Amino acid sequence: FAVEETVDTDLCAGNTYTTNTLVEANPPNGDACQATDEYTVTPEAACATIVEITCTDSEGNDCEDTPEPETPEDCLEPFTYCYIVTNVGSTCMDITSFVRDRNGGTADLIPLLNGVIEICPDDDPIEVCEEPELTDLCAGETYETSVILEANPPNG
């Protein structure tokens, strides 16, 4: 005879699931006995997206390679920040939140997606760019940019 149990799981979480079973039997004409078994499964996380951040100056150079200003008039340089979203998992994902933080200033990047919120494993990466931002190269500041992207499978 068989016993079946269904457990709801979140395959995107990358959890390990272990089931232990204990069976006890008391036959009418014999000694009691028992058996145990354990089954462990760790499904590969099916949900994974990555975001790459690029920054270029007005000449198309990586921001870190922008030459030092030669005169005070050259201090302000427009930097363009772009974000490339790639689905590296095995299921389509709906982007629910896409927020950029630069030195404590945040911006919602969802509007830059122009209505494209679903990204599937076989899709080309989605690239969105912010408007160029004037950066004072003479100020001696460090600019830190990070992104938090949240996405769920289409059915939750």
Side-chain angles (χ1 to χ4, degrees), residues 49-133:
T49 54
I50 57 171
V51 180
E52 177 187 353
I53 302 171
T54 63
C55 177
T56 54
D57 64 19
S58 62
E59 301 297 318
N61 301 313
D62 187 279
C63 291
E64 292 181 1
D65 298 331
T66 301
E68 294 286 325
E70 293 180 16
T71 66
E73 292 80 32
D74 297 332
C75 286
L76 293 180
E77 174 68 29
F79 282 178
T80 301
Y81 293 86
C82 296
Y83 311 93
I84 303 163
V85 180
T86 306
N87 183 336
V88 295
S90 60
T91 187
C92 294
M93 300 292 287
D94 286 343
I95 298 169
T96 57
S97 177
F98 193 15
V99 177
R100 183 266 299 151
D101 182 312
R102 183 167 311 110
N103 291 7
T106 61
D108 181 7
L109 300 178
I110 290 272
L112 297 178
L113 295 172
N114 293 320
V116 177
I117 61 163
E118 182 181 73
I119 184 166
C120 295
D122 294 331
D123 291 349
D124 289 332
I126 298 171
E127 181 177 15
V128 296
C129 299
E130 293 184 274
E131 290 294 319
E133 180 178 308

Side-chain angles (χ1 to χ4, degrees), residues 18-41:
T18 302
T19 300
N20 294 297
T21 305
L22 169 65
V23 176
E24 294 182 4
N26 293 308
N29 297 331
D31 295 334
C33 61
Q34 66 180 25
T36 61
D37 197 8
E38 180 177 286
Y39 181 77
T40 301
V41 63

